[in-house]
Amino acid sequence: QVQLVESGGGLVQAGGSLRLACVFSGRGLSSFSNFAMGWFRQAPGKEREFVSAISSNFGSTYSADSVRGRFTISRDNAKNTVWLQMNALKPEDTAVYYCAAHWAGGPRVDYHNANAYDYWGQGTQVTVSS
């Protein structure tokens, strides 16, 4: 019904930048504009953690303290795409990054909570070397 495909990961030196993209596919009530979108990451041996999110309607954004000021989330509903621009990357940003979608037609949820999301992508690896 809904598919999410991430791209843009790779190997970068500390201080560098990467731009992740997540392309959404769905139809009808499952159209992109009905979903809030989030980015999460998971490093080896660690739990999945919230990175950033953007609402479905007015594009309100939310970011983890660890990435605020360095990472920017944005979306283009016409292109069914959400991006995560990552600047000033640090070795501790190394992780698999996942795109997630939350259907916004239900009760208000906490976008920081991975359990709030209905669909997940397969992930893209980001490796930051020191």
Side-chain angles (χ1 to χ4, degrees):
Q1 186 178 8
V2 170
Q3 287 188 325
L4 304 173
V5 179
E6 302 101 331
S7 63
L11 173 65
V12 64
Q13 288 188 332
S17 298
L18 284 174
R19 190 190 195 200
L20 305 184
C22 173
V23 178
F24 173 106
S25 61
R27 293 184 292 181
L29 289 177
S30 297
S31 62
F32 184 59
S33 60
N34 291 330
F35 286 80
M37 302 299 295
W39 286 97
F40 287 75
R41 66 187 182 186
Q42 188 166 18
K46 294 188 177 181
E47 293 187 354
R48 189 170 298 191
E49 66 172 355
F50 170 78
V51 175
S52 193
I54 187 166
S55 66
S56 61
N57 41 25
F58 300 109
S60 299
T61 61
Y62 311 82
S63 292
D65 289 343
S66 59
V67 306
R68 190 170 294 121
R70 299 188 298 124
F71 292 9
T72 302
I73 189 171
S74 61
R75 66 187 295 161
D76 184 335
N77 287 350
K79 295 182 179 179
N80 285 5
T81 303
V82 60
W83 293 275
L84 185 68
Q85 177 67 44
M86 305 186 296
N87 298 328
L89 283 160
K90 304 175 181 180
E92 51 263 44
D93 294 320
T94 295
V96 177
Y97 283 70
Y98 296 91
C99 172
H102 161 70
W103 187 65
R108 187 176 178 85
V109 298
D110 178 4
Y111 293 144
H112 299 74
N113 187 345
N115 293 327
Y117 293 83
D118 306 294
Y119 302 97
W120 291 82
Q122 82 288 349
T124 185
Q125 176 71 46
V126 171
T127 303
V128 184
S129 63
S130 57

